[in-house]
Structures are given as structure tokens and as C-alpha cells.
Amino acid sequence: MELKKGAISGEYLIGVYENNSVIVFRVYENTKGALREVAEEKNFEVDPKWNTRQFGSKICKEFGDGKQATVGCYNIKVQDSGSIEVYRTYENTKGALREVAEKIGFEYDPNWTTQQLGSKLVDFINNK
């Protein structure tokens, strides 16, 4: 299925597919903070001396194949350069859209469907 339209707002990526379903991703700028959330979710012991690359690598080894791991809604990947990327998908798409809307001051009707909110929010972001 192909995207019909999409927008980026800060750490959030919103996509609207041709069938009008909506997906929201969050690509964390604060990678270490995101890794801490993952570790907390899994009760994974963290050495405060770890840098981001060490931390991400340890998570990927513990919960994945060493190069990437999926922990709940978090996806962690060790890039070829060694840097770490963390992104999150949202099970509650409408909640994520509302989170983005509130951060950017977009007023929405609470009765809108997820598809309506997603489409209007993407248009708002792209027309700012």
C-alpha cells in the first residue's frame, strides 16, 4: 500500500495511505532517552557509563539479533556507522495524532475519526 500524503513535525512522521488509514512514527532525537524508556519497560539494567552506541548495542544484543531489536512499540537499529536509531510506532494512532496536534497548536474536533484527524493534521503541517 502506498502513501497518499505525509508530513513531518519535529520527531513525528505521519502518513496517510491510499485507503485513508493513518500511521504515526516517532523518530527520537534524544536517542539515549528513548533507550532508557526501552530499558525501563524491560527492567534491563543500565550502566550509567554507557554511551548511546554502547547502550543501543547492548539492547539489540539482549532483545534482538545484535543489529536490531523490537521491544514493544520501540524499534532499535544499529546503523552501519555504529550510530543508534530508535523509532516508535503507535498502537493508538488517534492518541498519537492528538499528541502531535497539541504540540503544534492544531485545534481538532474530538468527534473526528482517526482518518479525518490524520488527513487534516497532515494538511495543516504541510501548509504551515
Side-chain angles (χ1 to χ4, degrees), residues 5 14 20 22 92-102 104-125:
K5 61 183 175 178
I14 304 165
N20 293 320
V22 179
N92 181 347
T93 304
K94 194 171 195 177
L97 292 169
R98 288 177 174 163
E99 184 178 315
V100 175
E102 289 167 12
I104 64 171
F106 175 71
E107 291 187 29
Y108 59 89
D109 183 330
N111 296 314
W112 286 346
T113 66
T114 302
Q115 292 79 11
Q116 289 172 314
L117 177 55
S119 182
K120 291 174 187 287
L121 185 56
V122 165
D123 291 344
F124 176 80
I125 292 167

Side-chain angles (χ1 to χ4, degrees), residues 47-105:
D47 184 334
K49 295 176 190 159
W50 289 342
N51 63 32
T52 303
R53 289 178 181 217
Q54 291 169 316
F55 194 178
S57 230
K58 302 248 185 225
I59 295 257
C60 286
K61 285 177 186 162
E62 181 71 21
F63 302 108
D65 63 8
K67 287 290 183 188
Q68 62 183 19
T70 300
V71 178
C73 59
Y74 297 91
N75 295 281
I76 305 98
K77 183 174 183 185
V78 180
Q79 303 291 342
D80 290 339
S81 65
S83 65
I84 306 298
E85 180 180 85
V86 180
Y87 71 90
R88 176 182 178 186
T89 55
Y90 288 85
E91 289 180 15
N92 181 347
T93 304
K94 194 171 195 177
L97 292 169
R98 288 177 174 163
E99 184 178 315
V100 175
E102 289 167 12
K103 284 185 182 222
I104 64 171

